[in-house]
């Protein structure tokens, strides 16, 4: 392709199928943002003054897992 005006130009048509085939041919790459995440090692004991927040979080996470019958099913999920 020459867009300088000094030589012949060639029109190229790329279809959606061409793009999809090219994407399938590429090796999977890890998302840089996700790959670089470091999860800090923080325990509840490291965070002071948030006992009410801890209780709420634990209720939202633990209660459905321990007692799925209370949440309209046996899946243990949120039901959403």
């Amino acid at each position: 392709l020459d867009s300088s005006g000094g030589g012949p130009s060639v029109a190229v048509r790329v279809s959606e199928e061409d793009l999809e085939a090219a994407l399938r041919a590429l090796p999977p790459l890890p998302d840089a943002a996700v790959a670089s995440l470091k999860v800090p090692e923080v325990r509840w004991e490291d965070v002071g003054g948030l006992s009410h927040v801890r209780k709420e979080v634990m209720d939202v996470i633990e209660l459905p897992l321990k007692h799925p019958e209370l949440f309209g099913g046996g899946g243990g999920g949120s039901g959403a």
Side-chain angles (χ1 to χ4, degrees):
L1 299 175
D2 185 3
S3 61
S4 66
S9 63
V10 178
V12 176
R13 173 168 275 141
V14 178
S15 70
E16 185 175 347
E17 291 80 18
D18 294 327
L19 292 174
E20 289 173 358
L23 287 173
R24 284 191 301 271
L26 292 174
L29 298 174
D31 185 288
V34 174
S36 66
L37 286 178
K38 302 282 188 248
V39 178
E41 292 187 30
V42 178
R43 299 180 317 259
W44 282 109
E45 294 79 23
D46 299 330
V47 182
L50 295 175
S51 59
H52 66 288
V53 174
R54 177 184 179 177
K55 181 183 178 338
E56 192 170 331
V57 169
M58 297 305 278
D59 286 348
V60 168
I61 294 172
E62 270 190 343
L63 194 59
L65 293 173
K66 288 185 176 182
H67 302 284
E69 70 278 2
L70 298 175
F71 296 88
S78 66

